[in-house]
Amino acid sequence: MNDELIEKLSHLPDQPGVYLMKDAQDRIIYVGKAVVLKNRVRSYFQSSRNHSPKVQSMVSRIANLEYIVTASEIEALILECNLIKKHRPKYNISLRDDKTYPYIKVTINEQFPRLYATRRVQKDGARYFGPYTSAGAVHETIKLMRKLFPLRSCRILDARRPCLEYHIKRCLAPCAGFVDAVTYQGMIKEVCLLLEGRSDTVVQSLKKKMEVAAQELAFEQAAKLRDQLAAVEKVREKQNIVTGAGDQDAIGLARSALGTCAQVFFIRSGKMVGRDHFLLAGSDQEEDEAVLAAFLKQYYSQSTFIPKEILLPMHIEEQSLLGEWLSQLKGSRVAVETPKRGTKKDIVTMADGNAALVLQEQEGKLKAHSEQTEGALADLGRYLGLDGPPERMECFDISHIQGSETVASMVVFESGMPKKEEYRRYKLLTVEGKPDDFKSMQEVVSRRYAQGGQPPPDLIIIDGGKGQLSSALEIIRGAGWLQVPVIGLAKEFEHIFREGDSEPLILPRHSQALYLIQRIRDEAHRFAVTYHRKLRSKRNMVSVLDHVAGIGGKRRKALWDHFGSLAKMKAATVEEMAAVSTMTFPAAQAVYNFFRQQGH
């Protein structure tokens, strides 16, 4: 331990709070909470005999720590959840790929809401249902909802006349003013009830409407309601009745040598309406109770719905605290229970069994993933003669068309996986006209490394042969980065050029190390080409707008900055364009008319 760390340990308060462990590069590697910060944090630095290998590895990397004092343990838990979600520390248990699950979004923040699939959950006033593990299940559900209810699917509400969807009775045409907001909102309410699994309420509502329509001799409307009722009844048949009543989540947990799986059964109004499974990373050396607690915190901190009762397969130390936290999130009491017998116990046992089956199916995938990441990194480090696996790699690529609009990309891979939030793209300034990849590479690595201030990567990859490698090394070594290994990857035969070697290194043809290098190189190329296309698109859009009276350089730039693409500008209304900075209503009208007169 360094002097600064020893000093901080000696002044830890005996209050509840959250602590953040940092490595030598000042990266947060672990976030935890404590009832008494002084006791919990100091325990890491006492005798290591009682620590797991994972904790020993973490402690060996701790170079600094921070702590935040809170008023209570529940505040510490809330803060811990938020910090783990924000920083995703290496040594915390984490949901694997939790951001990739699809949701169903109902835009109740709009006057006439829409229903569609999304993978981004935002605080925008809309309602989100999910997450779902299968995109197919999401689209099947949306298809059913649109079959049952004539919902709008278009984005624009100022149409002069309704589209085909209205004429085939698949939409009520709010865009043309053919339905009032109250009627439409009533339909949306039923959609949300069905998505929540509350089909009983929907059935009662449909029956009542059908009876009223029949009494009023509106037989066509009554027949339509009858068909809706039959479709909802089919949905109900698929929902198994498992408990008497109420909303519950039953959690199952299964573990093997290759990973951990949590299974969630969704029970709404006493019926089983669905299930989801989640794989957890970084849990191999943790106790079951710690894994379950970490899953509950991360899952419910981002869940769109919290039931009144959560059933666990085992008792955990923080159970009452979690119940208090979940009650705060929901706004009403949430019971967190560990059933010992009866129907509830049977449901949890079934969830455990399903988690085990999912894990069994995933083991092959997990093994392949491990080979493609940890195994590939170990092999690559060995082939390159490094001291260990290159945990962090940065790769550069250049893209241009005959020297015009030259751009560069830098992609980052950590632990064998892309870290997209740290990708960078550069519009190069020193080379224009005749292409010069050597000078282009020098510029981009200079802009990345000459200023310093960031932790060094374990490996730098230059997309190119000896020439590009020599150009990059001149800048990198000149900036003081003397120990970082740098390699060049030739495009044609994927030969690897190393500093000081006259002959290239040829990796085994079917090795995971080669596949990893190819993935990194292809990702850098994709990212550079995408940026290049965006710049070309911007240039083309500017040339199109040159023909519009009243649109000069400032207005062209303002329109591009606001809309981002020509397609979005074409779809915009006059009012939306007029709201853009520097634009006036006559100028917006001119752009709007231009697109329609030219057939754009």
Side-chain angles (χ1 to χ4, degrees):
M1 291 189 293
N2 56 50
D3 293 339
E4 184 181 359
L5 186 56
I6 293 172
E7 180 71 14
K8 285 188 176 181
L9 289 173
S10 65
H11 291 93
L12 286 166
D14 53 357
Q15 295 172 269
V18 172
Y19 53 91
L20 299 87
M21 304 297 196
K22 296 185 174 183
D23 62 12
Q25 284 76 44
D26 206 40
R27 293 178 295 203
I28 297 171
I29 59 175
Y30 186 78
V31 174
K33 72 166 183 64
V35 180
V36 180
L37 280 168
K38 179 172 64 176
N39 298 341
R40 183 73 183 104
V41 176
R42 286 181 180 176
S43 68
Y44 288 101
F45 300 93
Q46 294 168 358
S47 174
S48 62
R49 286 179 298 178
N50 297 324
H51 293 330
S52 68
K54 175 183 174 180
V55 173
Q56 292 179 29
S57 174
M58 181 190 75
V59 172
S60 69
R61 287 170 170 78
I62 297 174
N64 197 0
L65 71 89
E66 292 182 10
Y67 59 85
I68 303 169
V69 176
T70 59
S72 64
E73 190 180 0
I74 186 69
E75 286 187 15
L77 186 143
I78 294 169
L79 181 57
E80 178 196 28
C81 290
N82 292 336
L83 290 174
I84 290 174
K85 187 176 180 180
K86 178 181 179 180
H87 298 290
R88 303 184 67 82
K90 179 178 180 179
Y91 287 96
N92 281 94
I93 299 169
S94 62
L95 294 184
R96 192 189 301 274
D97 296 333
D98 58 318
K99 291 185 178 178
T100 66
Y101 288 103
Y103 291 78
I104 293 176
K105 179 176 181 178
V106 183
T107 59
I108 59 173
N109 50 326
E110 297 177 338
Q111 186 180 19
F112 296 98
R114 292 173 293 141
L115 179 81
Y116 58 90
T118 183
R119 291 180 182 267
R120 295 181 59 194
V121 177
Q122 300 172 299
K123 293 183 178 179
D124 54 3
R127 284 202 66 182
Y128 295 85
F129 297 89
Y132 294 82
T133 53
S134 165
V138 171
H139 294 302
E140 190 65 32
T141 303
I142 291 174
K143 184 179 177 181
L144 173 64
M145 290 299 122
R146 286 182 176 161
K147 183 178 178 181
L148 289 173
F149 304 99
L151 302 167
R152 78 177 179 101
S153 57
C154 58
R155 297 184 179 183
I156 302 172
L157 282 172
D158 59 351
R160 295 179 182 176
R161 58 184 181 183
C163 65
L164 180 64
E165 291 286 303
Y166 170 76
H167 296 292
I168 62 174
K169 302 188 185 301
R170 295 288 296 272
C171 178
L172 296 178
C175 59
F178 285 15
V179 62
D180 62 274
V182 175
T183 302
Y184 194 93
Q185 289 285 351
M187 182 174 62
I188 288 296
K189 184 178 179 181
E190 291 183 348
V191 169
C192 292
L193 286 170
L194 265 182
L195 291 172
E196 290 174 3
R198 303 179 186 279
S199 55
D200 290 346
T201 307
V202 178
V203 166
Q204 291 173 7
S205 174
L206 288 174
K207 282 182 177 178
K208 187 175 180 180
K209 289 179 183 177
M210 186 175 67
E211 290 169 0
V212 170
Q215 289 171 3
E216 295 177 352
L217 305 181
F219 298 118
E220 186 178 348
Q221 177 67 15
K224 188 184 298 184
L225 290 165
R226 177 202 60 202
D227 294 340
Q228 280 187 319
L229 188 60
V232 174
E233 289 288 3
K234 286 185 179 179
V235 174
R236 293 178 74 192
E237 289 173 6
K238 296 178 182 179
Q239 299 173 345
N240 301 319
I241 297 177
V242 292
T243 61
D247 298 334
Q248 300 167 323
D249 281 354
I251 314 294
L253 195 70
R255 309 185 69 179
S256 75
L258 285 175
T260 302
C261 175
Q263 178 93 202
V264 184
F265 280 2
F266 306 116
I267 301 162
R268 302 294 179 261
S269 301
K271 300 182 183 67
M272 180 85 73
V273 298
R275 63 180 181 177
D276 253 325
H277 70 267
F278 302 87
L279 300 178
L280 293 99
S283 61
D284 51 327
Q285 296 176 20
E286 300 283 354
E287 296 293 331
D288 289 353
E289 291 80 0
V291 173
L292 181 59
F295 169 73
L296 293 171
K297 293 173 189 176
Q298 292 186 59
Y299 176 72
Y300 286 108
S301 66
Q302 63 191 33
S303 178
T304 58
F305 178 78
I306 300 173
K308 292 182 179 180
E309 191 173 25
I310 296 170
L311 309 177
L312 305 183
M314 68 194 73
H315 182 79
I316 56 178
E317 185 179 347
E318 299 176 308
Q319 195 153 310
S320 60
L321 184 66
L322 285 167
E324 185 181 346
W325 169 60
L326 291 168
S327 298
Q328 286 189 14
L329 287 179
K330 184 175 177 64
S332 59
R333 185 176 179 276
V334 176
V336 181
E337 299 182 0
T338 308
K340 301 297 183 184
R341 63 183 68 83
T343 306
K344 293 180 180 179
K345 174 63 176 174
D346 293 341
I347 298 169
V348 172
T349 303
M350 185 166 58
D352 276 340
N354 277 266
L357 288 174
V358 170
L359 194 56
Q360 188 176 346
E361 293 172 1
Q362 294 291 327
E363 280 188 356
K365 296 178 182 179
L366 290 171
K367 189 174 181 180
H369 175 80
S370 178
E371 290 174 356
Q372 292 169 5
T373 53
E374 290 92 343
L377 287 172
D379 288 346
L380 183 60
R382 187 171 65 253
Y383 288 134
L384 295 178
L386 307 180
D387 294 334
E391 286 292 326
R392 180 183 174 90
M393 295 179 283
E394 298 180 358
C395 179
F396 296 87
D397 184 48
I398 306 293
S399 178
H400 60 77
I401 294 180
Q402 297 179 342
S404 66
E405 289 182 344
T406 304
V407 301
S409 69
M410 184 200 78
V411 300
V412 179
F413 272 55
E414 281 197 0
S415 301
M417 297 297 292
K419 195 171 185 181
K420 295 190 176 183
E421 64 269 23
E422 294 196 24
Y423 284 14
R424 296 292 181 269
R425 57 193 186 188
Y426 303 86
K427 186 175 181 181
L428 301 187
L429 309 173
T430 57
V431 180
E432 193 60 42
K434 186 178 180 181
D436 191 332
D437 285 354
F438 299 157
K439 287 186 177 179
S440 297
M441 189 60 72
Q442 284 190 325
E443 179 185 340
V444 68
V445 296
S446 176
R447 288 169 65 178
R448 172 62 178 167
Y449 299 122
Q451 295 180 353
Q454 63 269 342
D458 299 309
L459 179 66
I460 297 173
I461 303 171
I462 304 299
D463 187 25
K466 282 185 178 181
Q468 284 93 336
L469 176 62
S470 298
S471 301
L473 279 169
E474 182 181 337
I475 301 298
I476 294 169
R477 299 304 184 224
W481 297 63
L482 304 178
Q483 303 301 322
V484 179
V486 185
I487 63 171
L489 182 62
K491 286 181 170 66
E492 188 174 356
F493 299 108
E494 293 167 330
H495 291 174
I496 293 176
F497 293 93
R498 293 179 290 181
E499 184 178 10
D501 287 357
S502 57
E503 296 297 323
L505 170 68
I506 302 175
L507 297 179
R509 186 175 178 183
H510 297 296
S511 69
Q512 291 294 341
L514 176 61
Y515 295 152
L516 176 60
I517 285 286
Q518 289 172 336
R519 288 200 301 275
I520 297 171
R521 188 268 318 279
D522 293 345
E523 180 70 351
H525 182 67
R526 179 200 65 78
F527 195 54
V529 169
T530 301
Y531 184 40
H532 198 277
R533 286 173 180 163
K534 182 177 181 180
L535 292 179
R536 289 208 315 266
S537 173
K538 180 179 179 181
R539 182 186 63 197
N540 293 340
M541 189 199 77
V542 169
S543 65
V544 168
L545 294 179
D546 282 341
H547 302 288
V548 183
I551 302 298
K554 286 186 178 180
R555 284 178 176 169
R556 283 199 302 266
K557 185 177 186 306
L559 287 168
W560 167 256
D561 291 342
H562 183 82
F563 291 104
S565 72
L566 197 59
K568 290 183 179 178
M569 192 183 302
K570 291 176 186 176
T573 63
V574 176
E575 291 75 14
E576 288 172 336
M577 282 191 279
V580 176
S581 174
T582 77
M583 288 290 289
T584 62
F585 193 85
Q589 187 69 55
V591 176
Y592 184 86
N593 293 339
F594 172 78
F595 283 133
R596 278 139 191 85
Q597 290 168 1
Q598 298 297 321
H600 287 287

